[in-house]
Amino acid sequence: MPRNRTGDRASEAPGAELAARTRNKNGRLRLLLTLPVLAFLASCSGSGPQSALEPKGPIARDIDGLWDLVYWLAVAVFIMVTALLVWAMWRYRERPGDETEPKQLHGSAAIELGGVVFSVVLLAIISVPTVRGLLDMRQVPEGDDVIQIQVTGHQWWWEFEYVDETGPDGATLITANELHIPEDATVYLTMTSADVIHSFWIPAVNGKRDVVPGQVTNLTIIADDPTSPDEPLPGQCAEFCGLAHADMRIKLHVHTDADYAAWLDEQFQPSQLPAEESELAAGWSTFNTVCTTCHQVSLEDVEGEVVTYGPERHIAAADIQFRSSFGPNLTHLFSRGTFGAGTVELTESHLAEWIGDPQSLKPMNPDENDLAAGRVLGMPDTGLNADEISEVIELLKTWR
Amino acid sequence: MTTTAEPQVFRSPGSRGLWAWVTTVDHKRIGLLYAVSAAVFFLIGGIEALLVRTQLFGPNLEVLSAEAYNQLFTMHGLTMVFLVVMPIAAAFTNYFLPIMIGARDVAFPRLNSFSYWLFFFGGLLIYSSFLLGGAPDGAWVGYAPLSTQLTEVVRMDFWTIGLALLGVSSLGASANFIATTFTMRAPGMSMLRMPVFAWMSLVVAFLLIFSLPSVTIGLFQLFLDRNFGALFYASAAGGDPLLWQHLFWIFGHPEVYVLILPAMGIVSEVLPTFARKPLFGYPFVVFSGAAIGFIGFGVWSHHMFTSGMGPIAEAGFGVATMIIAVPTGVKIFNWLGTIWGGKIKYNTPMLFSLAFIAMFVIGGLSGVTHAVVPSDTQQHDSYYVVAHFHYVLFGGAVFGYVSGIYYWFPKWTGRKLNEALGKVHFWLALIGFNLTFGPMHILGLNGMPRRTYRYPEGLGWANWNAVATIGAYVILLAFLVFAWNIVRTHFLAKGERVGNDPWDGRTLEWTTSSPPPVHNFDTIPVVHSLDDFWHQKYTEDDEGRAVRIPAVTEGALTVDEETGGGDESHEPDEDMHMPSPSFYPVVSAFGFAITGAGLIYLPWGFLGVGVGVAIAVWGLFGWSLEPVTKEH
Amino acid sequence: MSDAAVTDTGHAEASGHHDVKPVRKTAMWVFLGSECVFFGAMISTFLLYRNTTNGAPGSEIFNIPFTSASSFILLMSSLTMVLAHNAFEKKDLRQTRVWLIGTVLLGSTFLAGQIFEFTEFIHEGLTLPASPFGSSFYMLTGFHGIHVAVGVMLLAAMVVLSFSGRLYDDRGLNVELIGLYWHFVDIVWIVIFTVVYLLQV
């Protein structure tokens, strides 16, 4: 799928020359050979959207190219060794009636040396592209068109801060769990963690990178094509981070440049604070007493002034400030397709279930929360009754 | 040969029954204790694995809660590494190292007993957590700061303290094996005449001696962080979570070789026996084993390619990791060379050893793909890694140890395991193993991270997970057949009775009775060559073919064919004073365990610490002051 | 562990083929090799955190002259240990006892100095939970202090045995093996003193 690239973003990207090569690989075929024993079964399983073998961007494609090289070498070595083994097992089996004893061969320095040289040559073949590929992928992308996004890992959700631009209230844009980027753009993630070690992994666009508290790690991602809104590229936390590690997912939405600009505009529009007599006022009252303990929301009042409610938290790592809060920012909740760190489809009924009993949809450990110490292990029971919940949801529905 | 006067063996009779096993200082009995404990823990760890696999049979199943799942996979890893594979290796080493090098026991028999009991109580302590509010749930690697996060919940304290106790146990055992190997070899048993298994045990002992301290210090640091407010891993205060990863993997990578090298040693004994040829390139096998151990200390950071060490360090560790594939490859070539041109008998031990080679090649090659750093960033912490290390540790190590069990079972009990059942076990195990772990390669490459208690639909993972789960139950079936074979052969006494040397073996353990006497040898053997026993039975004709020496009768191993006569060592040894049983080692170990249990429940646990230290001191004093051999 | 690793004499006696001493000496050397890694891991940790003081006191509160003096005392104890071992080899019971007592006194003086030093530091705000620097400082020097204390106790036990005339009994530990341990502990202190106190960055 050769694409007509308009900017030079791609050529600035690490390892672009490999990326330029068009490759249309059949992940299934390679999988077949991973396990000859099970080859026939492979037909029942495709690669899937979270596969590292179906790269959707040049960096992941470089990695996949390297994997191909190593994989086929490994297959060749495996076939060679197994063939020798099986042949020797057959040829030199004990035959009935054969009384002769075998020759007592003690070894051969020449064969040993040959084996060593053979392995060294093979390893040299893979070590050169390994080191080159590694240095490529760790390059810091430069240029004005590199999109800078700060990522904070939380138990058990992701927070994204778009730091290139500020909105009408002078603040950066914050969203959660669903990452939006334009096609072909070089996106440079600057990451840290609010609590324990996580790992940011969207296989289709790059390998994983750990997210370490107190430290900053970086990852460059580039995606080729826009994704459909229903089928974002999936990823998830890849370093065990406690109870709900399995439920800490990422959705990557890739847009055309125009769609991305439109999305940014939308997100920078503050949502509306309900007027005092409106039917949403009751929901807001509940929200502002309960939910804003942890969640931030930026709202525009009738006078057009934008006020941010909820706790502001700054996580510092290596001289970089990460804007954050105790829970996902809800300003544009209903612009998202999922909630609960990408695990639950965003519908009114799911949301009602979640607010009524957060742990029914995702295991969490809010009993151990200690906001003063900055420790948040999930959403506690809100104690809201059904009416209050539906009022709050009516309000949330307007924040899109 | 003169056998006029039977030498007298003096060993305090002690008591019988259970107490005799508790107080034993006999390396063979301690070896069997390790083996039985490992078998019990294998059953438990296996059940944990089956529960985990059952939960993952399909998307979003609710067989286990996330909380239970996290405990089970943590305990499965911990159990299989520290309570199954290490002790089964210790069982073989204990039982056979002294016999293979022609010694009567290990250098420090009571320290040996202490090491076993500390392992036993350490395992018990870790497992008691299930009854005391929950097992460790931070994965076997216990990465900080997750492992220091919830200090109110004592789960991870069980893990730090339990691992520290097991570490002390292994340090004691390792020092013991090293001293034994260096100072107690039989006359003529030069280092390069030692069986490969003895060599690999020696390398493993050194690996543990130099790697365990690193993780032990890390565990102390975690303990101080959790219980005394130290800040080693508090990132907010400037603590560095990666320090733990370094300290852990400086131990953790050599640990991988600790688990696999003894199995390689066993395979290096089994292949020559059943191919009826000497091990191809013995010195190369020995030195590549030592080289694997040595280089193994320089590659730990390849477990951290996604942690953010910087590209230079990553490139260096990537290339170093590739280098370690060279001595590993050498071993594989030598095993192929060993069966090449042989006359292969397909008994069950041989089948498992041959499968070891094939499975280990897969695990080794997938290991090389991890050294390719960019590629590893996709594979790290995915099911691909789970597949990789199970091919190394199950298809590799466990198959090797199972091979060893079939091989040496006659030596332990005087009866051979049933061959037919053995073959059923083998094929079920091989098929079940590949069904379980083969698909995990694919799952990992398709993006499934490890340590996840559930996965959604639509990612293409369901079918392969189902296959893996079915495979796990086939493995269960295989090991049920194995268990039945052992029960039938030994406990129901239906196994075929055999003599000293059922396989036409090559090494010294086959010269003594099955099971060996308490003092191992009536006469300490004098060794003239590698595979000494074989060379007493066979010579070579002009073509280099083995030719049976007709005159020699079984057991008359001290007759030197080449010189045509004996030397003074053929006289029966003087009376032997074997060390007496002692209950002080078990008392000391118990004291250590109580101390550890107290440390878990600080501050009121200080009471337990006091009691534990008192018991330990009593044990150690008694140990130091009691005479080694009782008057007779 | 040290006592556990060397108190067994059983097999070596039993086999009749082997000298007792090399067995225990081998085990002691292996044990000390392992100890090197223990201290290595802690020294590495200290080096990592040497500047991570978080506002709590750092290396500036060290009293170099005082610690130099106590280090000198510990070094001298190695000398008295050598003399004790010499006398032990010559079977000179009286001299052995004198030098052993000297070593015990010097070791105890060092320990007293360390306890005094710790008290001072804690007064000035350098505690285990104060900073990663404090955590790693106390863990390293404390672990070493425990080693000195164990050595003092073992040497004191030898002194007691010398009075009851059992110094030359065959047992797991003797003056020679404890001497090896003692010298090791001293050498480790030289490294710690250099790294922790003298090398200021």
Side-chain angles (χ1 to χ4, degrees), chain B residues 103-112 114 168 171-172 174-176 178-180 182-187 206 208-214 216-218 220-221 224-225 228-234 236-241 243 247 250 524 573 575-579 592 620 623-625 628-629, chain C residues 1 3-46 48-49 52-54 128-140 143 157 161 166 170-173:
Chain B
R104 293 232 150 91
D105 206 318
V106 292
F108 307 107
R110 287 179 298 176
L111 173 62
N112 203 16
F114 172 78
V168 173
L171 280 177
S174 301
N176 210 344
I178 291 173
T180 306
F182 279 160
T183 60
M184 296 177 60
R185 281 167 285 128
F206 271 106
L208 286 170
I209 285 286
F210 290 116
S211 66
L212 274 169
S214 171
T216 309
I217 291 302
F220 282 153
Q221 292 171 346
L224 291 175
D225 270 17
F228 290 94
L231 300 170
F232 290 104
Y233 300 109
D240 183 356
L243 172 66
L247 290 175
I250 286 173
I524 291 290
D573 281 7
D575 295 348
M576 290 161 269
H577 299 259
M578 299 307 289
F592 273 75
L620 291 171
W623 179 345
S624 315
L625 296 178
V628 172
T629 51
Chain C
M1 269 310 294
D3 39 357
V6 289
T7 40
D8 237 309
T9 61
H11 176 78
E13 282 174 354
S15 80
H17 275 293
H18 307 283
D19 202 359
V20 174
K21 268 163 108 184
V23 182
R24 290 188 220 139
K25 248 184 164 170
T26 308
M28 180 53 98
W29 278 111
V30 167
F31 169 68
L32 295 181
S34 197
E35 288 271 69
C36 286
V37 187
F38 271 106
F39 281 102
M42 282 183 291
I43 290 171
S44 309
T45 304
F46 178 82
L48 179 68
Y49 291 142
T52 316
T53 52
N54 279 357
L128 185 85
S131 63
F133 173 86
S135 301
S136 48
F137 171 79
Y138 282 110
M139 186 171 174
L140 173 57
F143 201 74
L161 288 175
R166 294 186 294 162
D170 184 49
R171 73 187 70 249
L173 280 172

Side-chain angles (χ1 to χ4, degrees), chain C residues 32 74-75 77-83 85 103 175-190:
Chain C
L32 295 181
L74 191 64
L75 269 185
S77 77
S78 255
L79 181 65
T80 55
M81 188 70 234
V82 169
L83 293 169
H85 180 222
T103 314
V175 173
E176 185 187 7
L177 289 169
I178 297 174
L180 269 179
Y181 171 81
W182 189 258
H183 294 313
F184 171 81
V185 172
D186 284 2
I187 291 167
V188 167
W189 179 254
I190 294 173

Side-chain angles (χ1 to χ4, degrees), chain B residues 512-562:
Chain B
T512 183
S513 63
S514 303
V518 67
H519 51 290
N520 295 348
F521 304 101
D522 288 342
T523 310
I524 291 290
V526 178
V527 178
H528 298 92
S529 68
L530 179 64
D531 292 340
D532 200 59
F533 184 41
W534 175 267
H535 291 294
Q536 288 168 33
K537 296 185 288 189
Y538 293 89
T539 182
E540 290 175 21
D541 66 13
D542 299 339
E543 286 186 306
R545 291 184 188 279
V547 179
R548 183 112 203 167
I549 300 167
V552 183
T553 52
E554 192 177 309
L557 68 155
T558 51
V559 176
D560 187 334
E561 285 301 314
E562 284 165 31

Side-chain angles (χ1 to χ4, degrees), chain A residues 75-305:
Chain A
V75 167
V77 173
F78 175 73
I79 290 174
M80 187 195 80
V81 173
T82 314
L84 286 174
L85 179 68
V86 171
W87 193 80
M89 283 169 63
W90 175 255
R91 168 72 184 76
Y92 300 110
R93 70 193 187 278
E94 182 184 42
R95 293 173 171 86
D98 178 10
E99 294 298 317
T100 58
E101 293 286 350
K103 282 190 188 170
Q104 303 292 297
L105 187 62
H106 293 269
S108 148
I111 289 179
E112 305 285 354
L113 196 67
V116 170
V117 171
F118 175 77
S119 342
V120 169
V121 168
L122 274 187
L123 293 168
I125 291 173
I126 59 174
S127 70
V128 173
T130 294
V131 173
R132 216 186 52 190
L134 171 70
L135 296 179
D136 274 355
M137 74 186 279
R138 292 278 191 265
Q139 263 173 22
V140 180
E142 284 167 12
D144 292 342
D145 48 2
V146 174
I147 296 175
Q148 305 283 344
I149 299 176
Q150 294 190 170
V151 178
T152 309
H154 295 264
Q155 283 167 316
W156 294 276
W157 57 285
W158 296 96
E159 187 164 40
F160 305 115
E161 181 185 5
Y162 288 69
V163 291
D164 285 334
E165 296 168 69
T166 50
D169 58 345
T172 50
L173 170 63
I174 292 200
T175 181
N177 301 319
E178 296 189 10
L179 185 59
H180 294 255
I181 63 171
E183 58 179 327
D184 289 329
T186 302
V187 180
Y188 192 60
L189 306 178
T190 300
M191 312 189 286
T192 195
S193 166
D195 34 53
V196 302
I197 299 177
H198 305 280
S199 194
F200 184 94
W201 189 28
I202 303 174
V205 290
N206 199 344
K208 61 185 72 63
R209 195 70 170 157
D210 288 2
V211 175
V212 184
Q215 301 182 11
V216 166
T217 51
N218 297 99
L219 188 73
T220 309
I221 56 173
I222 305 172
D224 293 329
D225 297 308
T227 54
S228 90
D230 306 334
E231 290 181 334
L233 297 174
Q236 69 187 99
C237 175
E239 179 61 66
F240 182 65
C241 57
L243 194 59
H245 165 58
D247 295 332
M248 185 172 166
R249 301 176 167 276
I250 314 160
K251 307 280 181 201
L252 177 67
H253 292 272
V254 187
H255 302 284
T256 61
D257 285 351
D259 285 354
Y260 177 67
W263 177 81
L264 268 187
D265 278 349
E266 244 174 58
Q267 296 289 312
F268 272 124
Q269 289 296 322
S271 292
Q272 299 303 313
L273 181 72
E276 273 182 34
E277 313 82 38
S278 77
E279 52 198 27
L280 297 174
W284 168 246
S285 156
T286 309
F287 188 93
N288 200 19
T289 39
V290 178
C291 309
T292 49
T293 313
C294 293
H295 293 282
Q296 268 197 340
V297 59
S298 294
L299 301 175
E300 189 180 36
D301 62 19
V302 282
E303 270 118 56
E305 197 186 344

Side-chain angles (χ1 to χ4, degrees), chain B residues 423-476:
Chain B
K423 276 165 186 151
V424 172
H425 171 207
F426 169 75
W427 285 109
L428 283 176
L430 187 68
I431 293 167
F433 167 77
N434 281 293
L435 271 180
T436 310
F437 299 105
M440 289 185 189
H441 289 111
I442 303 170
L443 286 170
L445 293 169
N446 281 344
M448 181 168 173
R450 64 195 288 206
R451 297 169 179 152
T452 44
Y453 77 98
R454 68 176 173 186
Y455 56 91
E457 288 173 73
L459 294 178
W461 300 341
N463 292 341
W464 288 120
N465 268 303
V467 172
T469 302
I470 291 166
Y473 282 92
V474 177
I475 295 177
L476 169 71

